[in-house]
C-alpha cells in the first residue's frame, strides 16, 4: 500500500486530462443510462490522502483503517463511521469481486470530505442511480456499495475511462460546537434530574489488595466514616453488593476490571445502606502498582457520572415507504437470514463493519452456561475456530469476560484474556454478552490488529447491537436444537435397528464406522479389547475418502492406543494429530533435502503423508465402549485439520457408543458360543473318509437350522479289519443339539462295537441297549449299517442291516433300480430286538445309494419326492461316478421345492469301479 498526504492548497487531479471526461449528465433513457453529478467542484481542497491496495481480502480491513485514521486525523470523527462503511463496500467490490487493485483517494474541503475508489475493471455493469429496481438485494454478496452511497452520501457518482472505473461519494460535515463530545436538549427546570443543593462526589481509591487507600471529605460526609477508620480496610466490609441473577460478577471482580459503571450500596456508620451510582477506573502508579479509583454519588444523582447510553430515538426509524423500521432489521439487514448459521455470520460481519474491526466472532453458550462454542467468525481462520469450546468460569483459558462487556486495549498486556484470539495477531478487542431474560446466550466480540482501538463507547454501541439480536439468536438456536434432537432420535432409532439386525462381530464393527462417518465425524477408528489382560487392538478404520484409510491405519498403528478409561463421555486424544504433524514435518524436510539424503526417494511419499496429516490434524475424541461393566473397546472420532466437534454431536456420539458397545458385546458372545458349538459339532462327524481299493465313496451332508453343522442325521465309513470296512447312515428323531448328542453316541459306539468283531445284528442290538440306558434323554434312531469287503474279481460283498431306515437302492449298469435290503425295527424303542443281516454283491459299475428321510420326505405343498421319485432320479445316473451321483441327487432334492429344507439330509453313495 502506498499513501501520500498533501495538506493545504488546491490539489491537482492526478489523472491525465484525457482520461477523465468532464462531469456531465448522459441523456440515455434505457437501462444503461447513467446519472452522475453535474455540479462543478467549486470547493477548495485543503488536504489529500491517497493509497493503493492489493487485490487480496485483507486489503478491505486495511482500507477501512486508512480512511478512519485519515478522517480522524482531519478531525472529522462525526462522519468516520459512514465513510468507513461506504469505503469497505466499494473496496470489497474492487479487490474481492472484481479482483483488481483498488485506489482510494480522500479529499478534504471546507464543506465536507470526498472519497474516490477506483479499480481496473471498467467492463462490469454498474447499477444505475436512477434505476432502483436494478440495484439488486442489499444482502447479496456484491453490489451493495452503490445502494449505500445513494442512501448515505450527500452526493455520489460513477465515472468510466477505458482503463478503470471510479466511484466517488461526498459527505457533508454536520454543524456542531467545537469540543462537544455529547450534548442534550435544553429542558425546563421541572424536567431536570433532582439533586441536593450541593452534589457530593465521593472519591475512593482501592489498592491492589482491595483495601481502601484514599477517602475524601465528600465520602466522609456521604457515609459518615472518617478516613482514618476505613483506610486499610477492604471495601467489601462496607459495600453492599447486589446479587443479580445471571451474573457472577461481585465487587472484587468489578474492582479488577479496567472500567466499570453501575449501582450498589455503601453501608454507613449508622448501619444504613446508601444506594450509590459508581464509576470505576483501573490505574497504575509510577511503580506499576495497580489501584482502582471509584467515583460515587447518591443513586438519584447518577446523572452526574452516568455515561449517556446510545439509545434509539423516541420515534422509531422510518423507511422510505413511511413505515417504521425494526431496530433488529436496521442492524442485521432485511430480510433476516432464516437459518442460525446465516444469522450469526451476518451478525459478525455487520459488527465488524460497524466498529471498523479487522475481525469479529460470536460464541454461543451451552445449556448449562459452562462453556462457549465458536459458531461464527470473520477475519479469523474460521475453519480452525469453528465449534472450538472455551470454559466460562474456571479452568485454563477461561473466557472471563463473557457475562459483561469488556474492553481490552492490548491483548499483549493480558495474554490469554480472549483464548479465541491467541496467535491471530489481534491486539485490541471489545466483547459484550448476549442475554435473554438474564440468561447468558452467547458473546459477541470484535477485534483489531492495532492496540488501543476501542473504548467504553464502542462497547456501548456493540452492546446495543447485541441486545437487538439476542432474542432472535436465542430463538434460532432453540429451533436448531429442536431439529437436531429430532434428527438425533431418528438417527439413534435407525442405528439401533441396524445394530440389532446382526450378530456378526466384523459386520457390527463395519456398521459402527459407517454410521459415524460422515454423519458424526470425518474419520473413525474402532479399538477392541479381548479381555482385561489384553491391550487395545485397532480393529477397524474408516474415512469418508477411501484413499486415506490406509494412511490413517498406518499412522494409528505406530502410536500407542488410547487408555481404556471407563469414564463416560468424550475425551480429547491429541496423539494422532501430533504424530501426523511430526510425520508430515519429517517428510517435508526430507523432500527439501534437509536430512542429507536423496530427495527423489521420498518425493513419492510426501503426498500421502501430508494428506494423512491433514485428515487427522483436527480434534480427535475417544469414547469408551462399555458393556456389562467392562470396557470392551474405544470408538475414536476425528476431524480434519483445525476442525472441532459440536457439543450436540459429541452427545449423540456418546448415545451411539452405548448402543454399539452392547451390540458388539452381543456379537462377541454369539461368536464365542457359535465357535464352541461348531467345534463340538465337528467332533461328531468323521474326520475323513477312508480310501477303499476298487470302491468310490462320496458323502453329502446338510444339517437343518442356522449355524448347525451336525443335526440328527449322521454317517460314517471306517475300516474294521484288513479288507473289511464298516459304513452307516442314520437318523435320530428330531434336529439340533439334542439330536446331535445321540448322534455322537451312535457313531462312536458303532466304531467301537464293530472293531470288537461283532456281527452287524449284534452291533445294533448293543447300540439299542445303550440308547435305552439314556432314559428320558433317549431318542429312537433309524440306522442302516453294513460291512463291505471288496473281492478279487472286482465286485464287493456287502452285509447290511436296515433298522427302520429308508431302504438302500442299488443301481445296476443297465439302469434298473431296486431296494438292496429289507426293513427291520428301529432302535431305541424296544429292548429285545431280533435283527438279521442281508448279503448282497455289487458288480463293477453298480452303485449303492443310502439316504436319510430328509431326502425322500422333501415336500413342495402336497407333493413329496418319496421313494419312487428318488428311484427315478437314480435311474438317470447310470455311468456316473459316486460323486456325480450324490451331487445329482442333491440338486434334484433342492430343485423339488423352493423353500429351505426343514430336516437334516445325508446322502451316501458307493460305486464299485
Amino acid at each position: 500500500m502506498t499513501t501520500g498526504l498533501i495538506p493545504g492548497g488546491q490539489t491537482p487531479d492526478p489523472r491525465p486530462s484525457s482520461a477523465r471526461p468532464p462531469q456531465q449528465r448522459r441523456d440515455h433513457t434505457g437501462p444503461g443510462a447513467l446519472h452522475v453529478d453535474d455540479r462543478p467542484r467549486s470547493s477548495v481542497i485543503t488536504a489529500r490522502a491517497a493509497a493503493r491496495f492489493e487485490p487480496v481480502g485483507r486489503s478491505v480491513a486495511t482500507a477501512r483503517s486508512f480512511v478512519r485514521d485519515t478522517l480522524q486525523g482531519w478531525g472529522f470523527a462525526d462522519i468516520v463511521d459512514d465513510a468507513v462503511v461506504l469505503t469497505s463496500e466499494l473496496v470489497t467490490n474492487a479487490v474481492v469481486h472484481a479482483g483488481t487493485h483498488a485506489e482510494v483517494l480522500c479529499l478534504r474541503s471546507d464543506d465536507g470530505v470526498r472519497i474516490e475508489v477506483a479499480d481496473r475493471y471498467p467492463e462490469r455493469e454498474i447499477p444505475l442511480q436512477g434505476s432502483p429496481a436494478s440495484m439488486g438485494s442489499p444482502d447479496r454478496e456484491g453490489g451493495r456499495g452503490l445502494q449505500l452511497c445513494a442512501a448515505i452520501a450527500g452526493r455520489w457518482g460513477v465515472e468510466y475511462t477505458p482503463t478503470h472505473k471510479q466511484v466517488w461519494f461526498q459527505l457533508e460535515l454536520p454543524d456542531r460546537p467545537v469540543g462537544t463530545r455529547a450534548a442534550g436538549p435544553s429542558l425546563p427546570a421541572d424536567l431536570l434530574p433532582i439533586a441536593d443543593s450541593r452534589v457530593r462526589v465521593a472519591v475512593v481509591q482501592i489498592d491492589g489488595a482491595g483495601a481502601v487507600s484514599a477517602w475524601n471529605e465528600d465520602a466522609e460526609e456521604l457515609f459518615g466514616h472518617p478516613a482514618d477508620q476505613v483506610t486499610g480496610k477492604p471495601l467489601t466490609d462496607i459495600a453492599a453488593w447486589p446479587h443479580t441473577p445471571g451474573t457472577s460478577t461481585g465487587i472484587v471482580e468489578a474492582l479488577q476490571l479496567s472500567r466499570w459503571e453501575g449501582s450498589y450500596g455503601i453501608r454507613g456508620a449508622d448501619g444504613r445502606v446508601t444506594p450509590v451510582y459508581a464509576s470505576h477506573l483501573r490505574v497504575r502508579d509510577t511503580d506499576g502498582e495497580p489501584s482502582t479509583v471509584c467515583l460515587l454519588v447518591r443513586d438519584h444523582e447518577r446523572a452526574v457520572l452516568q455515561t449517556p447510553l446510545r439509545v434509539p430515538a423516541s420515534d422509531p426509524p422510518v423507511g422510505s415507504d413511511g413505515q417504521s423500521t425494526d431496530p433488529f432489521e436496521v442492524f442485521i439487514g432485511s430480510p433476516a437470514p432464516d437459518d442460525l448459521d446465516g444469522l450469526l455470520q451476518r451478525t459478525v460481519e455487520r459488527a465488524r463493519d460497524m466498529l471498523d474491526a479487522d475481525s469479529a466472532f460470536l460464541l454461543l453458550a451451552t445449556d448449562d452456561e459452562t462453556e462457549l462454542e465458536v459458531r461464527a467468525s470473520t477475519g479469523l481462520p474460521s475453519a480452525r475456530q469453528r465449534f472450538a469450546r472455551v470454559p466460562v468460569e474456571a479452568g485454563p483459558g477461561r473466557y472471563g469476560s463473557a457475562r459483561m462487556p469488556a474492553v481490552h486495549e492490548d491483548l499483549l498486556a493480558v495474554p490469554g484474556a480472549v483464548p479465541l484470539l491467541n496467535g491471530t495477531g489481534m491486539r485490541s478487542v471489545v466483547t459484550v454478552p448476549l442475554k435473554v431474560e438474564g440468561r447468558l446466550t452467547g458473546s459477541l466480540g470484535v477485534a483489531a490488529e492495532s492496540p488501543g482501538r476501542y473504548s467504553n463507547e464502542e462497547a456501548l454501541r456493540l452492546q446495543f447491537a447485541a441486545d437487538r439480536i439476542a432474542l432472535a439468536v436465542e430463538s434460532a438456536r432453540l429451533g436448531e436444537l429442536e431439529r437436531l434432537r429430532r434428527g438425533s432420535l431418528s438417527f439413534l432409532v435407525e442405528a439401533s435397528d441396524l445394530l440389532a439386525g446382526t450378530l456378526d462381530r466384523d459386520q457390527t464393527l463395519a456398521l459402527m464406522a459407517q454410521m459415524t462417518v460422515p454423519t458424526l465425524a470425518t474419520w473413525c477408528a474402532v479399538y477392541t479389547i479381548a479381555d482385561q489382560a489384553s491391550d487395545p487392538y485397532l480393529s477397524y478404520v474408516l474415512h469418508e475418502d477411501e484413499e486415506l484409510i490406509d494412511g490413517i491405519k498406518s499412522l494409528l498403528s505406530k502410536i500407542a492406543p488410547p487408555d481404556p478409561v471407563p469414564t463416560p463421555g468424550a475425551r480429547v486424544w491429541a496423539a494422532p494429530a501430533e504424530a501426523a504433524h511430526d510425520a508430515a514435518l519429517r517428510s517435508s524436510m526430507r523432500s527439501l533435502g534437509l536430512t542429507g539424503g536423496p530427495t527423489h526417494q521420498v518425493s513419492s511419499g510426501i503426498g500421502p503423508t501430508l494428506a494423512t496429516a491433514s485428515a487427522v490434524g483436527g480434534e480427535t475424541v475417544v469414547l469408551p465402549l462399555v458393556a456389562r461393566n467392562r470396557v470392551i473397546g474405544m470408538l475414536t472420532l476425528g476431524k480434519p485439520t483445525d476442525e472441532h466437534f459440536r457439543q450436540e454431536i459429541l452427545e449423540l456420539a456418546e448415545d451411539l457408543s452405548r448402543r454399539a458397545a452392547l451390540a458388539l458385546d452381543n456379537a462377541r458372545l454369539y461368536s464365542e458360543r457359535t465357535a464352541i458349538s461348531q467345534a463340538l459339532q465337528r467332533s461328531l462327524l468323521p474326520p475323513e473318509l477312508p480310501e477303499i481299493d476298487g470302491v468310490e465313496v462320496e458323502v453329502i451332508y446338510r444339517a437343518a437350522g442356522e449355524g448347525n453343522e451336525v443335526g440328527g442325521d449322521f454317517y460314517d465309513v471306517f475300516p474294521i479289519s484288513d479288507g473289511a470296512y464298516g459304513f452307516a447312515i442314520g437318523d435320530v428323531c428330531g434336529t439340533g443339539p439334542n439330536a446331535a448328542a445321540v448322534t455322537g453316541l451312535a457313531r462312536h459306539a458303532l466304531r467301537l462295537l464293530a472293531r470288537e468283531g461283532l456281527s452287524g445284528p449284534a452291533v445294533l442290538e448293543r447300540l439299542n441297549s445303550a440308547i435305552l440306558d439314556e432314559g428320558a434323554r433317549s431318542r429312537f434312531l433309524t440306522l442302516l449299517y453294513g460291512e463291505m469287503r471288496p473281492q478279487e474279481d472286482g465286485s464287493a460283498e456287502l452285509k447290511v442291516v436296515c433298522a427302520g431306515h429308508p431302504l438302500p437302492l442299488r443301481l445296476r449298469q443297465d439302469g434298473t433300480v431296486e431296494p438292496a435290503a429289507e426293513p427291520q425295527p428301529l432302535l431305541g424303542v424296544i429292548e429285545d430286538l431280533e435283527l438279521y443281516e442281508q448279503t448282497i454283491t455289487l458288480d463293477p459299475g453298480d452303485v449303492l445309494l443310502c439316504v436319510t428321510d430328509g431326502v425322500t420326505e422333501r415336500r413342495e405343498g402336497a407333493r413329496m419326492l418319496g421313494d419312487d421319485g428318488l428311484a427315478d432320479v437314480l435311474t438317470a445316473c447310470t455311468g456316473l461316478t459316486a460323486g456325480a451321483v450324490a451331487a445329482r441327487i442333491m440338486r434334484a432334492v433342492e430343485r423339488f421345492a423352493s423353500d429351505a429344507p426343514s430336516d437334516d439330509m445325508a446322502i451316501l453313495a458307493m460305486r464299485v469301479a
Side-chain angles (χ1 to χ4, degrees):
M1 180 186 78
T2 58
T3 63
L5 182 62
I6 305 175
Q10 178 74 33
T11 303
D13 196 307
R15 298 182 299 275
S17 59
S18 60
R20 182 171 53 87
Q23 299 235 3
Q24 60 183 348
R25 185 181 183 90
R26 302 182 184 179
D27 294 329
H28 296 282
T29 58
L34 179 64
H35 294 247
V36 297
D37 196 323
D38 58 359
R39 288 179 293 178
R41 300 183 190 178
S42 59
S43 301
V44 177
I45 304 300
T46 59
R48 172 183 177 274
R52 188 170 185 266
F53 302 95
E54 300 294 326
V56 294
R58 296 293 295 172
S59 294
V60 179
T62 308
R64 290 198 301 264
S65 299
F66 164 70
V67 172
R68 177 176 290 277
D69 294 342
T70 299
L71 298 190
Q72 286 180 341
W74 290 346
F76 296 156
D78 291 329
I79 61 173
V80 163
D81 291 343
D82 291 342
V84 165
V85 169
L86 296 179
T87 304
S88 177
E89 292 293 339
L90 297 178
V91 173
T92 299
N93 289 339
V95 303
V96 176
H97 303 308
T100 74
H101 291 84
E103 299 174 358
V104 180
L105 175 64
C106 300
L107 301 174
R108 185 183 70 183
S109 64
D110 53 359
D111 59 350
V113 172
R114 175 187 173 106
I115 297 179
E116 301 176 356
V117 179
D119 64 51
R120 301 293 177 178
Y121 194 47
E123 296 86 357
R124 170 162 292 192
E125 180 182 355
I126 297 298
L128 304 182
Q129 184 177 4
S131 303
S134 66
M135 301 287 270
S137 170
D139 298 315
R140 66 182 184 176
E141 184 178 8
R144 296 178 298 188
L146 299 185
Q147 287 181 292
L148 292 175
C149 287
I152 297 176
R155 297 166 57 196
W156 70 281
V158 183
E159 297 178 0
Y160 284 107
T161 71
T163 59
H164 76 280
K165 175 183 91 266
Q166 175 184 279
V167 181
W168 63 269
F169 60 89
Q170 182 160 333
L171 300 173
E172 277 71 24
L173 296 176
D175 295 331
R176 60 180 174 85
V178 177
T180 301
R181 181 174 182 270
S186 299
L187 295 176
D190 57 348
L191 297 180
L192 296 175
I194 297 177
D196 292 341
S197 58
R198 176 186 175 186
V199 177
R200 297 184 180 274
V201 179
V203 180
V204 181
Q205 191 162 0
I206 310 299
D207 61 19
V212 177
S213 59
W215 185 268
N216 73 342
E217 294 181 358
D218 281 354
E220 293 183 2
E221 186 66 26
L222 284 174
F223 310 122
H225 296 289
D228 57 352
Q229 291 184 2
V230 295
T231 301
K233 293 184 178 180
L235 179 63
T236 54
D237 289 353
I238 59 174
W241 190 264
H243 296 281
T244 305
T247 66
S248 63
T249 305
I251 182 64
V252 176
E253 288 79 11
L255 292 174
Q256 298 298 318
L257 299 176
S258 60
R259 288 182 180 274
W260 185 88
E261 190 173 318
S263 301
Y264 53 91
I266 297 294
R267 187 173 291 103
D270 57 0
R272 296 181 179 179
V273 175
T274 301
V276 298
Y277 191 84
S279 176
H280 296 179
L281 176 65
R282 188 80 163 163
V283 298
R284 61 187 174 91
D285 59 19
T286 55
D287 296 329
E289 292 296 325
S291 62
T292 302
V293 178
C294 306
L295 304 181
L296 307 155
V297 297
R298 293 185 179 94
D299 191 65
H300 65 272
E301 298 170 343
R302 63 169 57 196
V304 176
L305 298 179
Q306 188 172 26
T307 301
L309 295 176
R310 290 202 174 189
V311 297
S314 56
D315 295 330
V318 178
S320 59
D321 56 357
Q323 296 181 354
S324 297
T325 305
D326 186 355
F328 168 75
E329 292 185 353
V330 171
F331 175 72
I332 207 64
S334 179
D338 296 331
D339 61 306
L340 177 62
D341 288 335
L343 176 61
L344 300 183
Q345 192 62 35
R346 180 83 63 81
T347 298
V348 297
E349 290 172 357
R350 296 296 170 88
R352 176 203 61 193
D353 294 342
M354 183 179 72
L355 295 187
D356 185 28
D358 295 313
S359 64
F361 52 89
L362 195 150
L363 302 87
L364 291 184
T366 55
D367 289 340
D368 56 3
E369 301 182 28
T370 60
E371 287 186 315
L372 291 171
E373 186 177 68
V374 181
R375 291 299 302 271
S377 64
T378 180
L380 298 174
S382 57
R384 174 172 68 88
Q385 304 293 354
R386 187 164 169 81
F387 300 126
R389 293 176 300 279
V390 291
V392 174
E393 297 297 346
R398 78 182 187 94
Y399 202 109
S401 57
R403 298 187 183 275
M404 60 187 306
V407 178
H408 297 279
E409 296 182 353
D410 192 350
L411 290 177
L412 294 182
V414 281
V418 184
L420 178 65
L421 301 180
N422 291 343
T424 61
M426 299 299 158
R427 296 284 298 276
S428 54
V429 60
V430 53
T431 61
V432 296
L434 277 71
K435 290 186 178 182
V436 176
E437 297 180 352
R439 180 180 179 275
L440 181 66
T441 297
S443 178
L444 175 63
V446 297
E449 294 180 344
S450 57
R453 284 281 298 277
Y454 304 115
S455 63
N456 285 351
E457 184 175 353
E458 283 77 16
L460 290 172
R461 294 178 59 196
L462 191 61
Q463 184 66 71
F464 178 78
D467 293 340
R468 301 285 76 75
I469 66 167
L471 187 59
V473 169
E474 178 69 1
S475 178
R477 186 180 75 92
L478 293 177
E480 180 189 71
L481 287 177
E482 182 62 25
R483 290 191 296 272
L484 284 174
R485 284 165 182 159
R486 286 199 300 266
S488 299
L489 289 176
S490 300
F491 174 78
L492 290 175
V493 169
E494 182 179 358
S496 299
D497 290 341
L498 291 173
L499 291 171
T502 179
L503 288 172
D504 181 81
R505 176 182 175 276
D506 294 337
Q507 189 174 1
T508 301
L509 289 173
L511 283 175
M512 291 171 57
Q514 292 167 7
M515 285 185 293
T516 57
V517 175
T519 305
L520 304 181
T522 306
W523 65 272
C524 87
V526 183
Y527 290 85
T528 56
I529 303 175
D531 51 61
Q532 295 181 353
S534 302
D535 294 329
Y537 174 75
L538 182 61
S539 299
Y540 202 93
V541 175
L542 183 65
H543 190 280
E544 60 183 10
D545 184 355
E546 294 182 357
E547 296 181 356
L548 297 176
I549 295 178
D550 292 338
I552 297 176
K553 187 181 299 183
S554 175
L555 177 70
L556 295 179
S557 64
K558 296 176 182 178
I559 62 178
D563 296 330
V565 179
T567 305
R571 53 191 175 92
V572 177
W573 185 32
E578 294 174 355
H581 178 270
D582 293 342
L585 181 61
R586 290 194 299 270
S587 180
S588 300
M589 293 179 64
R590 289 197 301 269
S591 68
L592 297 174
L594 299 181
T595 58
T599 60
H600 67 275
Q601 296 181 357
V602 297
S603 60
S604 61
I606 186 172
T609 301
L610 295 177
T612 302
S614 176
V616 302
E619 187 176 37
T620 303
V621 297
V622 178
L623 297 104
L625 298 175
V626 181
R628 297 176 177 89
N629 298 323
R630 187 175 73 88
V631 180
I632 64 171
M634 286 86 71
L635 176 62
T636 303
L637 307 180
K639 287 282 190 179
T641 299
D642 297 335
E643 290 195 16
H644 298 262
F645 286 97
R646 294 188 59 176
Q647 185 62 34
E648 294 84 2
I649 295 298
L650 294 180
E651 293 172 358
L652 181 58
E654 185 178 355
D655 287 338
L656 176 64
S657 67
R658 288 194 292 266
R659 290 165 170 79
L662 188 59
L664 183 61
D665 199 46
N666 289 339
R668 177 188 63 83
L669 294 175
Y670 178 79
S671 299
E672 291 178 355
R673 294 180 181 180
T674 300
I676 294 172
S677 174
Q678 291 176 348
L680 293 176
Q681 291 183 64
R682 283 192 293 269
S683 69
L684 303 178
L685 297 175
E688 59 184 6
L689 297 177
E691 294 183 2
I692 304 176
D693 293 339
V695 180
E696 298 174 358
V697 181
E698 182 65 30
V699 174
I700 296 179
Y701 185 85
R702 297 286 189 273
E706 184 179 357
N708 291 331
E709 293 190 12
V710 176
D713 292 4
F714 67 95
Y715 67 91
D716 200 3
V717 180
F718 56 91
I720 298 176
S721 60
D722 293 341
Y725 297 87
F727 65 91
I729 185 170
D731 184 2
V732 178
C733 174
T735 60
N738 293 329
V742 180
T743 295
L745 170 65
R747 193 180 72 80
H748 290 95
L750 282 175
R751 287 197 173 205
L752 179 63
L753 294 173
R755 288 171 178 171
E756 290 295 327
L758 300 176
S759 63
V763 169
L764 267 61
E765 289 170 0
R766 285 170 171 75
L767 177 59
N768 180 64
S769 299
I771 294 174
L772 292 175
D773 289 343
E774 291 293 310
R777 296 181 298 174
S778 65
R779 291 170 176 260
F780 62 82
L781 168 68
T782 66
L783 180 63
L784 172 65
Y785 173 75
E787 296 180 1
M788 174 187 295
R789 294 179 182 273
Q791 304 298 311
E792 294 181 358
D793 59 357
S795 62
E797 182 184 78
L798 281 71
K799 295 181 179 181
V800 181
V801 180
C802 186
H805 199 77
L807 299 180
L809 299 179
R810 177 181 181 178
L811 172 64
R812 296 183 182 274
Q813 293 188 46
D814 57 3
T816 59
V817 176
E818 59 184 8
E822 297 177 353
Q824 300 184 60
L826 51 76
L827 307 180
V829 178
I830 58 178
E831 295 184 1
D832 297 330
L833 284 180
E834 294 183 3
L835 303 174
Y836 58 92
E837 63 184 6
Q838 296 172 270
T839 302
I840 59 174
T841 301
L842 297 180
D843 297 327
D846 289 352
V847 176
L848 183 69
L849 177 65
C850 309
V851 299
T852 58
D853 59 4
V855 174
T856 58
E857 294 179 1
R858 177 71 164 158
R859 295 181 179 274
E860 174 67 21
R863 297 186 308 121
M864 186 173 70
L865 180 63
D867 296 336
D868 295 338
L870 180 62
D872 293 340
V873 177
L874 183 59
T875 300
C877 296
T878 303
L880 299 180
T881 63
V885 171
R888 179 168 293 186
I889 297 298
M890 179 56 70
R891 284 199 302 271
V893 173
E894 291 174 344
R895 293 174 179 174
F896 188 80
S898 59
D899 56 343
S902 59
D903 195 5
D904 304 326
M905 292 186 294
I907 300 174
L908 171 61
M910 294 182 293
R911 178 179 179 274
V912 179

